[in-house]
Amino acid sequence: MPRYPETTAYVGFNGGESVWNSAGTWHRNGQVWGRCVTVYNNTAYRGRSRTIRPDQGIARIPASFGNIHSNRFHACRLS
């Protein structure tokens, strides 16, 4: 799996209103994979979560979600 720096997802901490994942994708065994990021509204990867696929984002995080306080990167199959 290719390594991407943890800074490839731009997450809005402390009142941020949007999030964007600029990570890339790759092909393996006829499938498309990418580096997804899951954002959480609490620390330590807890609480409500949203997973953002590569080259996608959330333009306006709903007020019901709250602020983003932690995030985790992981490989995800896209096809």
Side-chain angles (χ1 to χ4, degrees):
M1 177 175 87
R3 297 271 181 202
Y4 293 97
E6 296 301 295
T7 57
T8 56
Y10 301 103
V11 294
F13 290 95
N14 299 324
E17 294 183 4
S18 66
V19 62
W20 179 261
N21 181 359
S22 65
T25 60
W26 64 92
H27 295 269
R28 183 187 319 147
N29 299 328
Q31 298 174 332
V32 180
W33 289 78
R35 189 156 166 91
C36 291
V37 62
T38 301
V39 294
Y40 302 86
N41 70 342
N42 284 325
T43 60
Y45 318 116
R46 298 175 195 249
R48 294 179 134 191
S49 66
R50 297 268 176 121
T51 298
I52 299 130
R53 295 163 60 110
D55 289 328
Q56 293 185 354
I58 302 171
R60 182 169 217 98
I61 297 171
S64 62
F65 183 82
N67 291 335
I68 297 170
H69 291 284
S70 58
N71 64 288
R72 177 176 283 167
F73 291 86
H74 51 92
C76 55
R77 192 174 73 186
L78 304 173
S79 70

